[in-house]
Amino acid sequence: MADTVSWIATVATVIAASMTAANLGSRITGYGFCVFLVGSLAWLAVGLLTGQPALTWTNVVLTVLNAFGIWRWLGRQARVEEGAKAAAEVSTETPGEALFPVSLLTSAKVRCGDGPVGECVDAMAGCRSGTLSYVVVSQGGVAGVG
């Protein structure tokens, strides 16, 4: 039984690490922590079944951290993003300049003239003015490295 549970834990941990490392937004990251929770609970079971106190206690702590990650990414961060989206939608209905969440810059496509240049991976703004001053653009590569 411990062998089967350890394989479930292994698969869950690898999938969860891939989901969180991909940084595909708060929802995917949050679901990654849900999968991490399954993995830490499975590793906790393996530790208990095989009498490994270090594995058991490590995964007690990881279970708590994964629960925090779920709250952080599916709870708090998702509400922040939903609020920003709602504010952006309302701003299009009022006179003046439309707003957009600055957090979207890290996944925005950058165009120059008629063609795409790359994808924004970071940006800097003035502390006093809030004016966007510098944009870091990734061109090609795998997973934004290129």
Side-chain angles (χ1 to χ4, degrees), residues 4-119:
T4 301
V5 176
S6 71
W7 278 109
I8 292 169
T10 299
V11 169
T13 304
V14 169
I15 290 171
S18 300
M19 291 172 74
T20 56
N23 194 22
L24 297 173
S26 63
R27 294 272 183 223
I28 301 298
T29 300
Y31 291 131
F33 276 104
C34 291
V35 179
F36 262 136
L37 182 63
V38 170
S40 65
L41 289 171
W43 282 122
L44 178 60
V46 170
L48 291 170
L49 290 169
T50 60
Q52 297 182 63
L55 184 62
T56 300
W57 284 107
T58 298
N59 283 284
V60 165
V61 173
L62 289 175
T63 297
V64 171
L65 292 173
N66 291 327
F68 174 73
I70 292 168
W71 170 81
R72 164 76 168 80
W73 291 101
L74 289 180
R76 182 182 179 278
Q77 188 64 28
R79 284 194 309 274
V80 167
E81 289 179 8
E82 289 165 3
K85 182 180 177 186
E89 289 172 1
V90 168
S91 76
T92 63
E93 300 168 4
T94 58
E97 189 173 17
L99 303 173
F100 75 94
V102 176
S103 59
L104 291 178
L105 282 176
T106 58
S107 61
K109 305 291 183 214
V110 177
R111 299 179 59 87
C112 184
D114 291 333
V117 174
E119 188 170 300

